[in-house]
Amino acid sequence: MGGRVGLLDLDVYGPSLPILVQPDDPTVRKSPPHVQEGMVEPILHKGVKLMSLGFVSPNSGVPGSGPNGGAAVLRGPMAGRVVSQLLKGTNWGELDVLVLDLPPGTGDVQLEVCQSLSLSGAVAVSTPSALAWADVRKGVEMFGELGVSTLALVENFAYFVCEGGGRHYPFGKARTLAAGDDDDDDDGSNETTSDAPMQHHHFMPQSSHVFHLPISETVSSSNESGKPFCCDEPNGNSEQEWAVFSKLADAVSADLLLLQHNMMPAFMQGQQGNSSTAMVVTIDEVEDSAFDVPFTQLDIDNSHKRFTVRLFCNEGGYQKIIGGDDLRSRNPKTGEVEDDPSSDFGEGNGKTFQHGCGGVSHCSDRAVDG
């Protein structure tokens, strides 16, 4: 697509990028003197910048480094430091997209990445089996709770097509069928497993952003040879695989562009009907505009005791400044102005609290610093 792309293998316990991609020159070199001291240059292959612990010299002292490194025995803090060094110690230069390949699970590597970077989104990869989906569900929920949206789901090994043209599902039916997918079973049914409504979880993307990759001898051969499938020319034996990769790339790149311009991406459109969490709001002052809740920005000005709220929609943006006094005079549940601001704010022991803006939290008989 012409973008400037970097690919970082952060599976520090089992770096696989040197096996899947075998550059002509896999040597990691120090950055030139004019670059910040201690930086290294990524490996350039087919126009993509690469970095992995597997490319790092085994003399670096990091367990598991090097193409033939031994077991990467890393405690949590050490794993976090290695991830941070690969992220921040590599001279990536100007990039449009940096793709991070993370290990399975919800451990130290994922937490370090979420704390170090402002991620635009995630792509989850699974197989249709219930065991794999149990882990994927947890991973998607973790990223969602940390404010990272899952842009797409990929079901690997979803099916294979036999010589007779039939479609078979060795790992079970798809957890969810993408919009427009046809199930080629003899009975023509579109049944999915009992966990199929996964996309109805409010952290899950829409079904149009779920992609089913077949078991493929072509893709497997590409992995074994170290020559990425996407670098080969399409042929008659890999039409299905190319179609899936092409649709995945189009969907993710389009959503990243929309997110960059504070517009609602396609993976979220319509989710408000599938979730108890409101995804859009309307404002009396602005007619015929629905503002996207996930992109709301809130700034707190303690010196002037006020908030600045910025909302965005496809038509543009809206900003409102709210004073602390005005906010304290409203019912926190309904937003309506209260004649007696202290009347309904508290419950329970008869003491009523009013939480100020950067000031003092008051109750009926005492004041405490907020």
Side-chain angles (χ1 to χ4, degrees):
M1 294 183 176
R4 298 167 295 181
V5 179
L7 175 58
L8 175 56
D9 178 9
L10 286 180
D11 190 349
V12 295
Y13 299 106
S16 56
L17 190 59
I19 298 174
L20 299 174
V21 182
Q22 298 177 14
D24 295 332
D25 183 4
T27 305
V28 175
R29 294 180 171 84
K30 292 183 179 180
S31 296
H34 65 272
V35 180
Q36 183 178 346
E37 185 179 357
M39 303 284 283
V40 297
E41 295 295 301
I43 296 167
L44 189 63
H45 181 68
K46 302 290 186 181
V48 178
K49 296 179 179 180
L50 310 174
M51 181 53 67
S52 169
L53 184 60
F55 289 133
V56 176
S57 170
N59 298 324
S60 64
V62 180
S65 60
N68 298 311
V73 182
L74 301 171
R75 293 186 181 273
M78 180 63 176
R81 287 195 292 271
V82 172
V83 168
S84 180
Q85 182 63 29
L86 290 172
L87 273 172
K88 302 175 182 178
T90 303
N91 180 29
W92 294 105
E94 295 292 331
L95 292 177
D96 297 308
V97 179
L98 177 60
V99 180
L100 309 178
D101 180 21
L102 302 179
T106 56
D108 295 285
V109 173
Q110 286 81 355
L111 292 177
E112 176 66 29
V113 168
C114 290
Q115 292 170 358
S116 301
L117 299 175
S118 177
L119 299 178
S120 299
V123 175
V125 182
S126 178
T127 66
S129 68
L131 185 62
W133 267 100
D135 290 336
V136 168
R137 182 188 293 110
K138 295 174 183 177
V140 170
E141 290 179 354
M142 180 204 73
F143 277 112
E145 290 169 358
L146 292 173
V148 181
S149 300
T150 298
L151 306 180
L153 298 174
V154 179
E155 284 191 347
N156 203 7
F157 306 133
Y159 63 90
F160 71 90
V161 179
C162 67
E163 294 179 353
R167 184 177 290 192
H168 305 272
Y169 301 86
F171 298 103
K173 287 280 190 175
R175 293 281 129 182
T176 177
L177 286 173
D181 273 5
D182 294 322
D183 191 334
D184 291 337
D185 276 350
D186 293 337
D187 60 3
S189 68
N190 284 336
E191 285 189 15
T192 59
T193 60
S194 59
D195 284 342
M198 284 278 300
Q199 73 269 35
H200 296 312
H201 190 288
H202 64 276
F203 288 139
M204 292 290 177
Q206 296 297 290
S207 59
S208 61
H209 278 52
V210 179
F211 302 90
H212 308 291
L213 190 64
I215 297 174
S216 168
E217 184 177 353
T218 303
V219 174
S220 178
S221 298
S222 296
N223 294 339
E224 294 291 330
S225 65
K227 299 178 180 179
F229 171 79
C230 59
C231 293
D232 293 332
E233 293 294 329
N235 58 65
N237 297 325
S238 58
E239 291 180 355
Q240 288 182 324
E241 296 89 331
W242 267 103
V244 174
F245 278 114
S246 178
K247 291 178 181 178
L248 173 63
D250 288 343
V252 172
S253 59
D255 280 349
L256 288 176
L257 182 62
L258 291 171
L259 285 167
Q260 182 180 358
H261 293 279
N262 294 315
M263 298 174 67
M264 177 177 285
F267 79 91
M268 292 178 60
Q269 292 175 9
Q271 279 189 347
Q272 56 267 31
N274 296 330
S275 168
S276 59
T277 303
M279 304 301 292
V280 297
V281 295
T282 57
I283 300 177
D284 294 338
E285 293 94 328
V286 184
E287 297 181 357
D288 302 325
S289 292
F291 295 93
D292 304 322
V293 172
F295 303 115
T296 301
Q297 296 179 359
L298 176 65
D299 291 333
I300 301 176
D301 184 353
N302 282 323
S303 61
H304 296 90
K305 298 184 178 180
R306 65 188 183 187
F307 297 90
T308 301
V309 180
R310 299 182 182 91
L311 301 169
F312 300 93
C313 65
N314 290 339
E315 291 77 25
Y318 174 77
Q319 175 175 296
K320 187 175 181 65
I321 297 176
I322 305 172
D325 291 337
D326 179 42
L327 190 64
R328 285 192 294 271
S329 68
R330 296 178 181 272
N331 187 296
K333 294 182 179 180
T334 66
E336 299 294 333
V337 176
E338 297 283 352
D339 293 334
D340 180 4
S342 64
S343 59
D344 295 321
F345 280 19
E347 295 179 4
N349 58 9
K351 294 184 178 181
T352 301
F353 291 85
Q354 300 179 40
H355 297 285
C357 176
V360 176
S361 297
H362 303 282
C363 67
S364 58
D365 59 359
R366 62 190 179 96
V368 296
D369 291 336

